[in-house]
Amino acid sequence: MNAAFAELLAAIVLTALAALAGWFAAGEIGAEVMTLSAVTFFFLRQLWMVLRLIHWAGCPLGTPTPSASGAWGAVFDALHRRGRLASAEREQATQELDRFRRAAEALPDGVMILDGHRAIEWMNLQAEVCLGLKGSVDTGSRITHLLREPEFLDYLDSPDHRGVPLQLHTQRNPGRSLQLQAAPFAAGRTLLLVRDVTQLQKLATMRRDFVANVSHELKTPLTVTLGFVETALDALDDTPPQEIAQYLQTAVEQARRMQQLIDDLLTLSSLETDSPPLEEPIDVTALLTDIWQEVQALSAGHHHISLENQGPRRLLGSARELRSAFANLAGNAVRYTPDGGEIVLRWNVEGTAGGRFSVRDSGIGIAREHLSRLTERFYRVDRGRSREAGGTGLGLAIVKHVLERHQAALQIESEPGRGSVFSAVFPPHRIQP
Ligand code: ADP
C-alpha cells in the first residue's frame, strides 16, 4: 500500500517536474505534451503489469511470479508468498490423504466408498478381493449393477438394516461367506465394510459338530451303563449273582469307554492350549522298549510284534506327549490287525534328513479316499469296528497335534487288505547323537 502510494506520488511528482521543465523550456504547449507523456507512460506501465499478472495467473501452478519493482514488486512478492503457503498446505493435504489411503489399504477388511448414486468412488484391495471386483475397471460403476443379489439390494435400500451386518454369498466370489455393513456418511455417501467370514463360519460349524459328536459319543455308553445298572437293580432279588455280575461288568466296560473318551478330550484340549513342549532329550531306545511292552500286553500274544531300532539317538521334545502319540499309532496297529498279523515298530535316523518313527502292520488297511480325513476328530473308516475295538475316534487327532507341536509330520501309506504304515517324521534339529 505504501509502495503503491509512493509510486503514485513519484509519478505525480515526475509529471509535475516534467510539466514545469516543459513550461520553462518550451512554453505552455511543451508542458502539456510532457504532462500527457508522463501520464500515458504511467498508465501504460500499469496496463503492462496487469497483463503480466493475467498471463501469470493462467500459467501452471508453481510458475514463478513475474519480477517487478515498486508497488507491483510488492504485489508479486505477496502473491509469491501466498502461492508458497498454498502449495505447502496442498503438499501436506496430499501426504495426509496418501497416509489415509495406505492405512485403508493395510486394513484386513474391505472398505468401499459409494457416492449418492451408489457408484463406487473408491475401494481398497481387500474389498476388490472379497467382492470379486477390479478397481481399475469397476470404480465409477454402480455397485447395484455389479452385485445383483436381491438381499444385498434390499439391504442397501432399507436404512433400518444398516446397524446389522448382512451375511452374503455372492456369485462374483463363489464359496466365500461375506459379512457386509453399510454406514451412511457425508453428502449422501455410503461407507461399505466387507469382511470375509468363511473361516470363522467353518470354525463355528466345526465347534457345533464337535459338541454334537461328543454328546453322541457319551450318550451311547451312558444309556447302556444306565440300562444294565437298572436291570441289575431290578433283578437283585430273583436273579443268580453271576448274572448280576455280568450286567455290572458290561456297565463297567461302558463307563471305562466314557472315561477313555474324556481322557482323550482333555489330552486334546491341553495340546491345543498348553505352551510348546520342553526340549528335553528323550532316550528313544527306552521309550520304544516301553511302548513295545505295552502293545505286547494289548495284543495278548495274538500278533507277532517286533522292534527295529536303527540309531540309538536322542529325540528332543516332550516325553509325555511323544509317548502318547507313539503308543496311539502302535495301539491302532494292534486293534486293526487280525490275529496272527505282523507288526513292526521302527526308529531310524536318516542321515541329516531327520528321524522317523514308523509302525507297520499287516492289518485291514485303509482305502485311499479316507486317508486325508483320518486325523479329523471322530472320523472313523468303520464306526462299528472302531467302537468294537474300543476306539474313541480321537487317537490320530492327538497324534497330529503332538507331531505339529514338534514340527514333525505324519505320513500314512495304506492298502486295503494288505496293511498300513504310519510314520512320524522329525526334523534334523530334534535329533541328538
Ligand atoms: P479310533 O479310536 O477309532 O481308532 P483313530 O483316530 O485312532 O480313532 O483312528 C481313526 C480311524 O483310522 C480308525 O477308526 C480306523 O478306521 C483308521 N485306522 C487307524 N489306524 C489304523 C490302522 N493301523 N489300520 C487300519 N485303520 C486304521
Side-chain angles (χ1 to χ4, degrees), residues 37-104:
S37 317
V39 170
T40 309
F41 168 76
F42 177 73
F43 280 111
L44 277 178
R45 183 165 186 269
Q46 304 309 312
L47 187 64
W48 167 236
M49 287 303 171
V50 170
L51 285 175
R52 286 179 76 192
L53 181 62
I54 292 171
H55 172 75
W56 172 80
C59 287
L61 286 176
T63 308
T65 45
S67 57
S69 58
W72 281 103
V75 168
F76 288 144
D77 282 353
L79 282 172
H80 179 68
R81 266 197 309 279
R82 287 178 77 95
R84 267 217 327 255
L85 214 64
S87 77
E89 278 171 6
R90 219 174 20 250
E91 176 70 16
Q92 195 180 350
T94 313
Q95 277 177 7
E96 269 167 24
L97 187 65
D98 195 45
R99 244 197 321 270
F100 165 77
R101 285 201 171 181
R102 279 174 203 225

Side-chain angles (χ1 to χ4, degrees), residues 36-273:
L36 195 64
S37 317
V39 170
T40 309
F41 168 76
F42 177 73
F43 280 111
L44 277 178
R45 183 165 186 269
Q46 304 309 312
L47 187 64
W48 167 236
M49 287 303 171
V50 170
L51 285 175
R52 286 179 76 192
L53 181 62
I54 292 171
H55 172 75
W56 172 80
C59 287
L61 286 176
T63 308
T65 45
S67 57
S69 58
W72 281 103
V75 168
F76 288 144
D77 282 353
L79 282 172
H80 179 68
R81 266 197 309 279
R82 287 178 77 95
R84 267 217 327 255
L85 214 64
S87 77
E89 278 171 6
R90 219 174 20 250
E91 176 70 16
Q92 195 180 350
T94 313
Q95 277 177 7
E96 269 167 24
L97 187 65
D98 195 45
R99 244 197 321 270
F100 165 77
R101 285 201 171 181
R102 279 174 203 225
E105 286 297 352
L107 282 176
D109 293 341
V111 183
M112 179 183 277
I113 294 174
L114 303 176
D115 69 10
H117 303 287
R118 294 186 179 154
I120 302 173
E121 271 191 357
W122 178 83
M123 59 182 148
N124 69 357
L125 190 66
Q126 194 55 23
E128 293 181 30
V129 174
C130 285
L131 297 171
L133 301 174
K134 205 159 174 27
S136 53
V137 180
D138 297 321
T139 304
S141 305
R142 289 189 185 201
I143 188 74
T144 44
H145 292 175
L146 299 168
L147 301 180
R148 292 173 173 275
E149 282 73 16
E151 63 269 40
F152 174 65
L153 303 180
D154 282 353
Y155 178 75
L156 280 188
D157 283 341
S158 151
D160 308 345
H161 285 174
R162 293 192 169 179
V164 186
L166 168 78
Q167 304 291 334
L168 185 73
H169 290 101
T170 165
Q171 286 176 353
R172 286 191 160 260
N173 194 358
R176 310 302 295 176
S177 302
L178 304 177
Q179 194 179 61
L180 275 79
Q181 182 147 14
F185 80 111
R189 288 186 170 83
T190 302
L191 184 72
L192 196 63
L193 301 174
V194 194
R195 174 177 287 184
D196 187 339
V197 290
T198 315
Q199 202 54 29
L200 281 178
Q201 285 196 344
K202 260 192 202 152
L203 283 176
T205 312
M206 270 169 67
R207 204 170 299 139
R208 264 198 311 275
D209 289 354
F210 181 67
V211 172
N213 273 323
V214 171
S215 315
H216 180 74
E217 293 288 333
L218 283 173
K219 197 175 166 218
T220 316
L222 191 61
T223 313
V224 178
T225 310
L226 262 179
F228 277 100
V229 172
E230 279 168 2
T231 314
L233 274 177
D234 290 346
L236 267 182
D237 295 336
D238 52 1
T239 314
Q242 296 92 323
E243 206 173 307
I244 293 191
Q246 264 179 11
Y247 293 150
L248 292 178
Q249 183 55 37
T250 315
V252 167
E253 278 164 19
Q254 295 299 319
R256 285 220 175 98
R257 264 192 65 180
M258 285 189 282
Q259 194 178 35
Q260 182 62 51
L261 181 65
I262 288 165
D263 284 349
D264 281 359
L265 285 171
L266 289 175
T267 306
L268 260 181
S269 143
S270 75
L271 285 172
E272 277 175 347
T273 50

Side-chain angles (χ1 to χ4, degrees), residues 328-329 332-333 335-336 361 364-366 374 379-382 386 390-397 420 422:
N328 253 308
L329 295 179
N332 277 353
R335 291 190 291 116
Y336 297 106
D361 66 54
I364 58 174
I366 306 157
L374 288 183
Y379 187 85
R380 287 126 155 168
V381 176
D382 179 341
S386 157
T392 60
L394 296 174
L396 291 181
S420 318
F422 284 76

